[in-house]
Amino acid sequence: MKTSLYTSWGNKKAVPHIAITPANVSAVSFSDVQHSTIAYGQGRSYGDVCLNANGNLFDTQRLDRLVDYDHRKNLITCQSGVILRDLLLFLTTKNKFVSVSPGTSQVTVGGMVANDVHGKNHHKVGSFGNHIHSLTLLRSDGRILECSEDENTEYFKATIGGLGLTGLILTVTLRLKNVENNCIEIKSIKTKDINQMLELFEETDADYEYTVSWLDMYSRPQKGIFSCGNHASGEIKCSSSAAWKKTIPINAPEWLLNRLTNKVFNQLYYYKSNSRAHDVASYQSFFYPLDKIEYWNRLYGKRGFYQYQFVVPYEEFLSVYTEILNIIKQYDQPVYLAVLKKFGEIKSMGMLSFPRAGYTLAMDFPSKGEASLKMFKAFDLVVMNAGGAVYPAKDARMSHDIFKHSFPRVEEFSMYKDNLFCSDFWRRVEQDV
Amino acid sequence: MSKILILGATSAIAEQFARLYACSENEVLLVARNADSLEEISQDLNVRGYSKTSSISYDFSDVEKATNLIKQCYETLGNIDIVLIAFGTLPDQNEVSLDSNAMHKEILLNYNSIVILLNELANLFEKQKNGTIAVISSVAGDRGRQSNYVYGSAKGGISIFMQGLRNRLAGYNIQILTVKPGFVITPMTDSFEKGLLWVGPDKIARDIKKAINKKKDVLYTPWFWWWIMLIIRFIPEKIFKKMKL
Ligand SMILES: Cc1cc2nc3c(=O)[nH]c(=O)nc-3n(C[C@H](O)[C@H](O)[C@H](O)COP(=O)(O)OP(=O)(O)OC[C@H]3O[C@@H](n4cnc5c(N)ncnc54)[C@H](O)[C@@H]3O)c2cc1C
Ligand SMILES: NC(=O)c1ccc[n+]([C@@H]2O[C@H](COP(=O)([O-])OP(=O)(O)OC[C@H]3O[C@@H](n4cnc5c(N)ncnc54)[C@H](OP(=O)(O)O)[C@@H]3O)[C@@H](O)[C@H]2O)c1
């Protein structure tokens, strides 16, 4: 146990924590926890759900062991600190895959449960929590709860999407899917505006498991690239790009990433892709294009950056989108990256799960202090009026009323929260809960 | 098909190393003292695909039992293709400077116990006439510095012992691999501030596997430590002794 600096993906100033890094599951102990603690996976959340400044923190990096694999039943049990990248390297040798994957593979299984993460296939299969067979939860009173849809059901539903507040997840058993190889067949289509993009989501819904869209928010109207894909069939093998991974070792100077360089990048990205391209690529390059550059968040410099991700019902999306664009213009803030996805109708398992039917837009902004925060407040109003929600995994600033609006079951959730667990995020939003 | 023995199997570097060989052709025997970690690691390696995973609970400060241990390992595996010695401790130099008993314990574990195991293994490998003996030494063994010369001298001793062994067994088709890592993020260095030169244990493990395949004698890992230590070794003692290192 010692004081170390921890930060999250938004790359804001790192804050001291008294870290406990258990060497194995039996070694987890609460005796050294002073006031409160929170689990820290790989810190790929953008804000403060994984931080507990000046308090304790369980770093799960060494709880990264596989426990059981059942080929026939399509189940794998692993410890909560197992990293998705490693899990997939194992699973693809058996022609299996996780049912849901976020846009980076540098996340832990525990982190994926606690944020009930979604992938590009929500319209087909729901979110991560819809594929958890069971999990074991260690409460600070020492009890180990086996949780599933049949046992300790309420704890199960509170822990999925529970932002790490119900205790420490020790192991998770996941339901897997069968694949025939490690490749994805991809179709990419250049879009000229948002309407065409939305039409493509509707058109491809039935035939494609994975759909996602990248938007160039500098262009008027916003051009983009829509891509959709399916697991490829047959005995083929795609080489992974892992071998040439680059890393950004230190924070970049502030001037490096600016409107101009970003604009140029977006245009190059747009023009370099064919207008209707078909391709077969490794799952890594389809799901995790950004993982090729380790710590790309450092490109934003030492002030860090924000991501704002919201979901609104389908019918509200276009008007919300227009309003959001106006606000961005009004505050004159650059959007460096924007990604649009469609959530389907499948209900999420967790009491605080973010995914729900609608369109979800995620936008990256460099941190510009007050100006950024004011703009997000203006977004909040629009999103709330449309009956939408803001995603805690990407958040570093939402207020308690926005949280309550986004997650109406929070009172029910509080009954299952563990008293010793707390995060900076929770301290911010818990008032009134 | 390889039979692998890991002495100090709960070390973060050793655990990553063991994962790299997990497949249905290989068998592994793990020796370590922490029973809980040992059980989890052996379960993990089993799932990852070894044809057989066994373990022995053992405290390496029990130097007298070393001969027996190696015998038991041999009996379990039949023959040994690769052995990795990975256990070790990194004492606080200030503490051991003030406490000779503590220093003695450190030297016993980090030098004596290792060379006794090596001696037993070398005699068996000599008869076997194949295989790899790899030991994790350290760049700290290349030159004594005020901040960690007790640890450094034990590691330096190991490196020299390995040199001798390599020379002795040169005609026997046996690889004697001295591994010299730089800064690695493992439980041993939990309390250190980390910087640019630090790498994860998986990187070291991959480098060791490559060095085994290439039949290397000495491995600096990551590679840039070869250059760093070259410079450090070249600094004249007159200047070096005045440096704060
Ligand atoms: C490039 C990039 C792309 C992304 N794309 C997506 C996406 O497409 N969809 C999506 O949903 N998200 C996405 N994310 C967000 C990311 O998937 C989530 O934030 C995820 O939870 C991060 O996992 P982690 O292991 O880093 O957890 P952390 O960020 O360290 O922690 C996240 C939460 O999990 C809790 N937690 C972690 N381990 C445990 C445990 N053992 N027990 C209890 N609680 C635990 C923490 O307390 C915290 O509340 C993306 C992030 C990045 C950086
Ligand atoms: N980390 C670095 O920066 C670095 C750099 C150069 C060289 N090295 C060397 O690399 C090797 C592996 O260390 P690591 O970095 O992987 O750290 P580690 O994970 O802390 O491994 C050290 C291991 O040694 C074991 N050990 C210590 N005393 C023991 C004893 N009496 N009996 C049985 N086992 C004992 C520990 O077991 P317990 O879990 O039971 O304590 C632990 O598993 C060591 O030889 C170290 O000196 C490390």
Side-chain angles (χ1 to χ4, degrees):
Chain A
M1 207 180 59
K2 56 144 194 161
T3 305
S4 330
L5 297 176
Y6 279 83
T7 182
S8 63
W9 196 245
N11 201 23
K12 307 275 175 351
K13 197 171 161 16
V15 275
H17 287 81
I18 307 158
I20 302 173
T21 310
N24 58 59
V25 161
S26 325
V28 180
S29 151
F30 291 91
S31 56
D32 289 328
V33 174
Q34 284 151 353
H35 304 292
S36 63
T37 187
I38 192 76
Y40 186 94
Q42 285 289 308
R44 257 52 182 186
S45 300
Y46 283 64
D48 48 6
V49 290
C50 54
L51 298 174
N52 184 31
N54 303 309
N56 283 106
L57 169 156
F58 282 119
D59 186 329
T60 64
Q61 61 171 301
R62 300 206 172 105
L63 305 181
D64 74 333
R65 295 170 186 134
L66 305 182
V67 180
D68 194 24
Y69 170 70
D70 191 324
H71 191 76
R72 215 174 36 81
K73 289 194 184 144
N74 265 0
L75 294 177
I76 187 150
T77 304
C78 63
Q79 293 179 350
S80 60
V82 164
I83 294 176
L84 178 60
R85 184 197 56 227
D86 300 336
L87 184 63
L88 286 174
L89 286 177
F90 172 77
L91 291 177
T92 46
T93 63
K94 317 261 178 204
N95 281 345
K96 304 277 178 190
F97 211 78
V98 288
S99 304
V100 169
S101 163
T104 170
S105 60
Q106 197 61 40
V107 291
T108 62
V109 170
M112 290 193 286
V113 175
N115 274 321
D116 190 8
V117 299
H118 55 270
K120 301 174 171 56
N121 56 352
H122 189 277
H123 61 286
K124 288 277 194 203
V125 305
S127 56
F128 197 77
N130 294 106
H131 306 274
I132 301 172
H133 171 275
S134 54
L135 56 85
T136 53
L137 181 69
L138 176 66
R139 303 276 294 181
S140 61
D141 58 12
R143 280 183 306 156
I144 294 181
L145 304 180
E146 288 286 337
C147 308
S148 67
E149 279 183 78
D150 309 317
E151 206 180 343
N152 292 311
T153 319
E154 298 307 310
Y155 283 100
F156 188 58
K157 292 181 178 169
T159 300
I160 295 174
L163 306 175
L165 297 163
T166 60
L168 187 72
I169 303 166
L170 296 178
T171 62
V172 183
T173 302
L174 299 173
R175 280 191 291 266
L176 303 168
K177 64 186 282 175
N178 291 310
V179 292
E180 292 178 28
N181 50 55
N182 68 343
C183 309
I184 308 286
E185 272 178 51
I186 310 164
K187 192 163 99 179
S188 308
I189 301 165
K190 282 188 185 178
T191 55
K192 56 182 196 322
D193 61 19
I194 189 78
N195 290 311
Q196 188 195 357
M197 200 174 267
L198 296 181
E199 277 162 25
L200 282 168
F201 273 110
E202 304 300 324
E203 275 171 30
T204 53
D205 241 16
D207 296 338
Y208 286 89
E209 164 152 16
Y210 302 106
T211 58
V212 65
S213 209
W214 170 82
L215 271 161
D216 178 2
M217 300 289 267
Y218 291 102
S219 53
R220 299 273 178 277
Q222 290 75 39
K223 296 196 194 86
I225 298 171
F226 176 87
S227 44
C228 49
N230 281 319
H231 287 276
S233 51
E235 272 188 40
I236 50 173
K237 205 170 157 52
C238 290
S239 72
S240 99
S241 48
W244 53 275
K245 197 162 95 173
K246 302 275 179 297
T247 185
I248 308 286
I250 49 169
N251 284 333
E254 307 275 278
W255 51 260
L256 182 72
L257 202 62
N258 57 37
R259 265 171 227 239
L260 186 71
T261 50
N262 194 236
K263 231 178 193 162
V264 171
F265 170 82
N266 281 356
Q267 289 187 2
L268 282 177
Y269 188 69
Y270 184 82
Y271 288 109
K272 110 175 187 341
S273 43
N274 303 326
S275 62
R276 267 177 184 272
H278 293 259
D279 200 4
V280 178
S282 70
Y283 70 88
Q284 286 102 331
S285 60
F286 178 69
F287 289 113
Y288 321 116
L290 291 167
D291 287 3
K292 282 182 200 157
I293 302 170
E294 205 179 13
Y295 295 116
W296 57 261
N297 56 341
R298 290 176 180 158
L299 289 173
Y300 280 93
K302 62 177 189 301
R303 288 177 69 174
F305 71 116
Y306 288 102
Q307 185 171 99
Y308 189 91
Q309 181 172 358
F310 67 89
V311 56
V312 290
Y314 309 116
E315 61 282 6
E316 303 286 345
F317 181 73
L318 264 184
S319 66
V320 167
Y321 180 74
T322 315
E323 283 186 70
I324 294 270
L325 281 182
N326 284 337
I327 295 170
I328 295 174
K329 209 162 145 196
Q330 184 192 334
Y331 284 87
D332 191 25
Q333 295 292 313
V335 187
Y336 283 172
L337 186 76
V339 172
L340 180 67
K341 285 182 205 141
K342 186 181 174 184
F343 286 155
E345 314 266 356
I346 298 173
K347 257 188 89 61
S348 300
M349 283 301 291
M351 293 174 188
L352 301 186
S353 289
F354 168 72
R356 61 201 75 184
Y359 280 105
T360 179
L361 180 65
M363 296 171 287
D364 282 4
F365 297 92
S367 172
K368 298 270 166 147
E370 271 306 305
S372 313
L373 297 175
K374 277 195 186 140
M375 178 177 68
F376 297 145
K377 277 210 168 121
F379 291 169
D380 287 344
L381 281 183
V382 177
V383 172
M384 291 308 114
N385 282 337
V390 182
Y391 191 10
K394 310 291 179 72
D395 179 79
R397 35 67 53 195
M398 80 168 79
S399 66
H400 59 269
D401 19 310
I402 300 304
F403 182 69
K404 237 183 134 170
H405 257 95
S406 299
F407 302 97
R409 290 175 73 184
V410 61
E411 253 155 64
E412 182 188 357
F413 169 81
S414 314
M415 298 195 290
Y416 305 98
K417 188 187 163 290
D418 190 307
N419 287 334
L420 208 59
F421 281 73
C422 194
S423 61
D424 291 344
F425 177 88
W426 186 252
R427 255 185 291 280
R428 181 152 45 78
V429 302
E430 79 173 324
Q431 303 157 41
D432 292 354
V433 161
Chain B
M1 152 124 196
S2 293
K3 296 196 173 187
I4 301 166
L5 169 63
I6 301 189
L7 304 175
T10 53
S11 123
I13 296 174
E15 184 175 1
Q16 294 296 328
F17 178 80
R19 287 183 188 180
L20 297 179
Y21 286 86
C23 70
S24 58
E25 277 95 59
N26 296 346
E27 181 179 338
V28 68
L29 170 56
L30 311 170
V31 186
R33 68 172 167 187
N34 182 329
D36 291 328
S37 290
L38 194 56
E39 196 187 320
E40 285 183 16
I41 293 170
S42 94
Q43 198 172 31
D44 171 83
L45 293 173
N46 201 26
V47 173
R48 283 176 200 267
Y50 277 103
S51 65
K52 195 171 161 209
T53 311
S54 359
S55 55
I56 297 174
S57 196
Y58 182 81
D59 187 323
F60 289 99
S61 50
D62 269 349
V63 186
E64 303 84 51
K65 295 191 188 141
T67 313
N68 252 333
L69 173 75
I70 296 302
K71 225 168 110 194
Q72 198 186 338
C73 293
Y74 234 85
E75 277 161 13
T76 311
L77 287 174
N79 67 303
I80 303 174
D81 296 294
I82 300 172
V83 52
L84 176 71
I85 304 185
F87 66 86
T89 47
L90 176 60
D92 181 323
Q93 180 64 46
N94 291 331
E95 263 169 44
V96 288
S97 305
L98 297 171
D99 181 348
S100 299
N101 279 332
M103 185 180 85
H104 186 207
K105 272 196 196 140
E106 294 296 339
I107 295 293
L108 267 184
L109 183 78
N110 289 305
Y111 183 76
N112 295 34
S113 79
I114 294 179
V115 296
I116 291 168
L117 292 165
L118 280 173
N119 207 38
E120 292 295 325
L121 286 163
N123 294 339
L124 288 168
F125 271 63
E126 197 174 40
K127 289 191 202 116
Q128 202 179 270
K129 291 201 175 55
N130 65 53
T132 296
I133 300 177
V135 179
I136 309 185
S137 176
S138 170
V139 295
D142 278 14
R143 194 155 190 182
R145 293 175 298 131
Q146 59 178 320
S147 60
N148 72 349
Y149 60 89
V150 168
Y151 175 78
S153 67
K155 290 299 192 189
I158 295 292
S159 298
I160 292 186
F161 191 96
M162 290 287 278
Q163 258 174 6
L165 210 54
R166 188 176 301 123
N167 192 201
R168 167 184 154 194
L169 296 175
Y172 289 82
N173 185 33
I174 294 164
Q175 181 190 18
I176 303 291
L177 174 63
T178 311
V179 181
K180 297 183 180 180
F183 298 145
V184 197
I185 305 164
T186 69
M188 186 175 271
T189 53
D190 260 349
S191 63
F192 288 56
E193 284 301 324
K194 310 287 188 311
L196 278 179
L197 296 179
W198 289 77
V199 298
D202 50 327
K203 163 72 182 153
I204 308 298
R206 285 195 305 271
D207 281 358
I208 300 176
K209 186 175 177 183
K210 272 190 221 150
I212 291 176
N213 291 342
K214 286 192 190 155
K215 300 262 176 245
K216 272 195 162 190
D217 298 321
V218 179
L219 166 72
Y220 283 87
T221 162
W223 59 272
F224 50 77
W225 283 97
W226 188 86
W227 294 98
I228 296 177
M229 296 320 292
L230 183 75
I231 294 165
I232 291 197
R233 279 196 312 268
F234 263 109
I235 302 173
E237 190 66 13
K238 268 209 166 70
I239 301 172
F240 196 78
K241 72 177 180 191
K242 291 186 192 139
M243 292 168 76
K244 286 246 174 299
L245 287 164

